[in-house]
Amino acid sequence: MSRFFTTGSDSESESSLSGDELVAKPVGGNFGKQPLLLSEDEEDTKRIVRSAKDKRFEELTNLIKTIRNAMKIRDVTKCLEEFELLGKAYGKAKSIVDKEGVPRFYIRILADLEDYLNELWEDKEGKKKMNKNNAKALSTLRQKIRKYNRDYEAQIMSYRQNPEQSADEDEDKKSDDSEGSSSSGEDDDEGMSAAAFLKKKEGAAEGRGKFLKKMEDEDEEEEDSDDDEDWGSSDSESDSESDEDEGKYTSLASKFLKKTGTEEDKRVLEKKREEKAKKKQDRKSKKYEDDEDDNEGGEWEKVKGGVPLVKEKPKMFAKGTEINHTVVVKKLNEILQARGKKGTDRAAQIDLLQLLVGIAAENNLGIAIDVKIKFNIVASLYDYNPNLATYMKPEMWQKCLGSIEELLDILFANPNIFIGENIAEDSENLANSEQPYRVRGCILTLVERMDEEFTKIMQNTDPHSQEYVDHLKDEGRVCKIIDRVQNYLQDKGTTEEVCRIYLRCILHTYYKFDYKAHQRQQGPAGDSKSEQDQAENEAEDSAVQMERLCKFIYAKDRTDRIRTCAILCHIYHHALHDRWYQARDLMLMSHLQDNIQHADPPVQILYNRTMVQLGICAFRQGMIKDAHNALLDIQSSGRAKELLGQGLLMRSMQERNQEQEKIEKRRQVPFHMHINLELLECVYLVSAMLLEIPYMAAHEFDARRRMISKQFHHQLRVGERQPLLGPPESMREHVVAASKAMKMGDWKTCHRFIVNEKMNGKVWDLFPEADKVRGMLVRKIQEESLRTYLFTYSSVYDSISMEILSDMFELDLPTVHSIISKMIINEELMASLDQPTQTVVMHRTEPTSQQNLALQLAEKLGSLVENNERVFDQKQGTYGGYFRDQKDGYRKNEGGYMRRGGYRQQERQSNY
C-alpha cells in the first residue's frame, strides 16, 4: 500500500508493513531479479542511481562495440555510420571529458580503426572485391579518421607505444564475459587489432586448409572456456559476497555509495590482473611459435578437404590404363571442355597440355598427335588473358614464341602432315602412318594472332624504358617466324592464305628505311667489310621484296582490304626512299582518295600516314606545292596526332565515352613506327611560307585574296600579338621570324632563321640526306625572296639590272632570267625584258595606293548595292531597273558601274 493513501495511525502502517514482510523472499539476494515481489515503497527506495559519466561512457562503449563487430565482417559502411554517431556521442560527453580526461578506450578505438582502414586501403585485391558502397565508404571514412585523429596525435602515439587495455575496458569485458562463453569469445575477438584480423583473414584465404583452421578454432575454444571458468568463479564469489553483505547496510543507498577498498582487496585485484595478462601473453607467444614452426617446415601440406575443387588437378590416367591415340584424344577433349568456363585455372590447363605432350612422346604415339596438342597449347596461351585489351605477360609471350617455333620445326621436318581449318575432326588421321597425317588447325591464324599480340605488347609498354627496347628485339624473331610460315604456305597453302601472310610481311617492312640499299646507291661498297655486312649486302633489297610481294597481291587478291593495305604500304615505302614519281603515280592510279572514307579506321590511319610520308618526300625533292597539298588535310584539322594513330587528344565524355576510348587505344601505332610530329609541322609551315609570302606580296591590295594556309596565317597573327619580340626559341617562332624577313626580301636573314644549329637538331638532321635538304631549302628561299622583292618594290623601279638581282640573291643569271620570264608570262609582273642590256623594264600599269583605296571603296559600294537590290526584290518582286547577269553580277541597262573587271583589267587590255 502506498504511503500517499495512508490515513490511519502509525500502528496500522506498522501492521501493514509487517504483513508485507510475510511474503517469501527469493533465494539469491540479487535485487534486480525481484521487481514483481516488491511493494511500490520498496521499489522506489531500491532504484539504481547512475551518474552522468557512467551513462555517457556506456553509450560510447556500446557504439565502439558495434564498430568492432562491423570491422570483423568488413562492413565499412556500418563503420562509417557508427563512427559519425560516436563523434556526436563524444560531443555530448565533452563536459565530462574535460573534467575526467579523454578515456583510454576512446583513444584505443581511434588508433585501431585508423590501422584497420590503412590495412584495407593497402590491400589492392580486397579493394577490387569490395562492393561500390563499401569502397566509397572506405575512402570517406579514411579521410575523416585521419582528419579527426589530428586532435589526438599525442594520446594515440602514447597508446601505440604502450598498447595496454584500460581498466574501464577490463571491467566492461568482465561484465560481458559473465553472460556466457559465447560472449566471452566475442570480446576476446574485439581485442584483436585490425592488422591481426586482416592477417588472419588473408591466411585463411591463402589456403592453409580447413583442418588447420579447425585446430586453431578448437584451441581458441579451449582458451575461451578457461577464461569462462575464471570469470564464472569470480561471478559466484561476487554473488556470495552480495548475500553476506545484505545485512551489513542499513539503507539501500549506502550499499551503492563509492567506498575505498582495503589494501588486501586492492592486492587481490592487482594479482588477478597480472595473472590474466600473463596468460594472454603466453597464448600469443605460443601462437607465434606455431606459425614459425609451420614456416620452417617448408611448403604447406595439401589436404583433400582444404583445397578448392577448381584447383585440383585431374588425374591424367588411371593405373594400368593402356595409353593409345583414342585415350589421349579423349583426355585432350576433357581438358579443352573446361576452357573458358568460370573458375578454370588457365595456367594449370597449359601445364596439363604440356604434360600430355610428354606422355604422348613417352608412348611413341606419333608426331600427328604431338602437332594436335601443340596447336591447342598455343591457343590456350592466347586465351590466358580473357580481356582483349590486356597484353601477354613476358613469360607467356616467350613460351608462345617457343611453341610456334617448335610447331614449325615439326611441320618442316614432316612434309607428310597436312593441316587446315577445313579438316573435320572426324576425318583426322593421327595414327595411321601409311597414309598422310591430317590434323585440324591453321598455322596462319596462330601467326596472325601472334603478330597482334606483339603489337599489343608494344602499345602497352612505356616507349622510353629499357623494357620497350627489350621487347622490340623480339621483332626479329617474329619476322623470322613470318618468313618461315610464308615459305611453308607457298608450297602447301591456298592463294588467299599466301596473300594474308604476304601482307603480314609487308606490314613489318614498309616503314623501315633500307640503309644498306641506300649506301649501295651512294657508291661501291668498301673492301673492309665484315662477312655479316657482305651477307646483308647480298640479301634482297627491301624495294625488290616489296615489289614482288605487292604485285602478287595486286594480281591474286580477291578482297579489297588486303589490296588497299598493300598499295598504301607500297606508296609509303616508295616515298620513304625518295622515289617520288613512282609513289605519286601509284597513288593517282589507285584512286584511293575517292573512297577511302568508307574504309575501316585502321586503313584510314594507314592512308593518313602514307599521305604524310608522300608530302615529306615531295618536300625533300623540292616539290613545295605538292608537299603543301599532301599535308594540308592532316595539318589543317588540328589533330594530326590522332589522325596518324599516335595518341588521343583530350575530349569531353560527350564526344567519346570510355568504350570508344578503349577501342581507339587499340588502334594506336607502336612508338617505333611514329612519324615525328614536329618535323611534320615544320615541313608544312616552311612549305606554306614559301607559297604564301610571295602570294601576299603580289595581292597586297586585293580585297578578295584568299588564304593558302589558315594555320600559317594563325601563326603569323600569334607572332604579331606578342608584346615583346625576342629571339625565336621554338620551331614555330623561327618560321614566323623567317617569314617576316622574306617579306622584306632579306633572304639571308630568312635563311639564318630556317637553317641554324637549333633547327638542325630539331628537324633537318632527322632526314637521311640532311645536307641535300638544306641545300634545296637555301635555293628555294633565294628564289621566293627574289619573287617577293619584285612584287613588293616593282613600283619603285623604272628598270633594274638582272646582274644586280643576281648579286643580291646570289643566284646565277640564267636562273634570274627564268624566274622573271615566268612572272611576266603569268601576268604576275607588268614588265618586259631588254635582252641587250640584261635589264627588266617596268611598266607603270599598277595603280597607286590612292587608286587602290578607291578601287576597294567602289568594290564595297557595289556589294552594298547588290544586297540592297536583293532585299528590295524580296519585298517588291522586281529588280528596280536592274537585271541579273550570270557572269558579271548586276549591271545597269544604260551604262554605269561595272561590278567586275575593274581598273586593272582595263589597263591590261589597253596595254596588250
Side-chain angles (χ1 to χ4, degrees), residues 617-678:
C617 174
F619 180 81
R620 288 197 299 265
Q621 298 299 312
M623 312 286 183
I624 302 300
K625 196 167 186 178
D626 292 323
H628 181 269
N629 291 337
L631 301 177
L632 180 61
D633 290 337
I634 300 294
Q635 285 299 121
S636 60
S637 66
R639 40 192 202 103
K641 185 178 183 181
E642 193 168 345
L643 292 174
L644 295 174
Q646 297 182 186
L648 299 179
L649 300 176
M650 295 296 292
R651 290 194 189 177
S652 62
M653 292 299 293
Q654 295 176 353
E655 297 181 19
R656 177 175 61 209
N657 56 30
Q658 289 184 349
E659 283 299 321
Q660 290 174 337
E661 189 169 343
K662 287 180 182 177
I663 292 170
E664 289 185 13
K665 280 183 178 177
R666 288 202 291 270
R667 295 178 186 145
Q668 298 303 298
V669 178
F671 183 75
H672 64 280
M673 298 169 64
H674 281 193
I675 296 170
N676 192 318
L677 294 177
E678 191 173 16

Side-chain angles (χ1 to χ4, degrees), residues 299 306 379 398 428 440 451 461 480 525 543 611 651 694 804 912:
E299 297 181 357
Q398 296 297 331
E428 283 183 325
R440 179 178 173 81
D451 198 21
T461 308
K480 284 181 182 177
M611 287 302 297
R651 290 194 189 177
I804 295 174
Y912 288 98

Side-chain angles (χ1 to χ4, degrees), residues 408 443-444 447 481-489 501:
L408 286 170
I443 188 67
L444 177 59
V447 171
I481 290 174
I482 291 174
D483 288 339
R484 293 183 70 188
V485 174
Q486 176 183 327
N487 296 331
Y488 180 79
L489 291 177
I501 196 64

Side-chain angles (χ1 to χ4, degrees), residues 164-322:
E164 295 179 356
Q165 292 181 345
S166 62
D168 293 334
E169 282 187 300
D170 287 341
E171 290 173 4
D172 193 24
K173 285 182 75 174
K174 284 181 187 178
S175 63
D176 291 338
D177 289 338
S178 64
E179 293 176 5
S181 62
S182 61
S183 63
S184 70
E186 291 174 0
D187 291 342
D188 205 23
D189 285 341
E190 279 180 19
M192 187 186 300
S193 65
F197 175 74
L198 285 173
K199 186 176 179 183
K200 179 180 175 183
K201 196 156 186 110
E202 288 171 2
E206 285 171 2
R208 289 193 180 186
K210 294 180 181 178
F211 179 74
L212 293 174
K213 188 175 179 183
K214 185 176 177 184
M215 292 297 291
E216 288 178 5
D217 293 340
E218 287 176 2
D219 292 341
E220 288 178 4
E221 286 176 5
E222 287 176 6
E223 292 166 7
D224 291 342
S225 63
D226 293 341
D227 292 343
D228 293 342
E229 289 174 5
D230 296 340
W231 288 110
S233 62
S234 64
D235 290 342
S236 61
E237 288 172 6
S238 62
D239 290 342
S240 61
E241 285 173 3
S242 63
D243 290 337
E244 293 172 2
D245 293 344
E246 275 185 5
K248 295 182 182 178
Y249 303 102
T250 54
S251 65
L252 187 62
S254 61
K255 177 178 176 65
F256 291 98
L257 285 175
K258 188 175 181 180
K259 57 185 181 295
T260 57
T262 61
E263 293 291 333
E264 189 176 351
D265 293 339
K266 289 181 180 178
R267 283 199 299 273
V268 170
L269 187 61
E270 191 67 31
K271 190 175 180 182
K272 284 183 178 180
R273 286 180 184 170
E274 290 176 359
E275 287 177 357
K276 185 178 178 184
K278 188 176 180 183
K279 193 180 290 185
K280 189 173 182 181
Q281 190 67 29
D282 291 342
R283 284 203 302 268
K284 283 184 180 179
S285 61
K286 186 179 179 183
K287 191 175 181 181
Y288 291 150
E289 287 173 4
D290 292 342
D291 291 342
E292 288 175 3
D293 292 341
D294 292 338
N295 292 332
E296 287 173 3
E299 297 181 357
W300 293 101
E301 182 183 354
K302 292 188 179 180
V303 185
K304 286 184 180 179
V307 181
L309 292 175
V310 179
K311 293 185 178 180
E312 281 187 1
K313 290 185 179 180
K315 293 180 181 179
M316 294 303 290
F317 301 104
K319 273 191 176 182
T321 305
E322 183 184 355

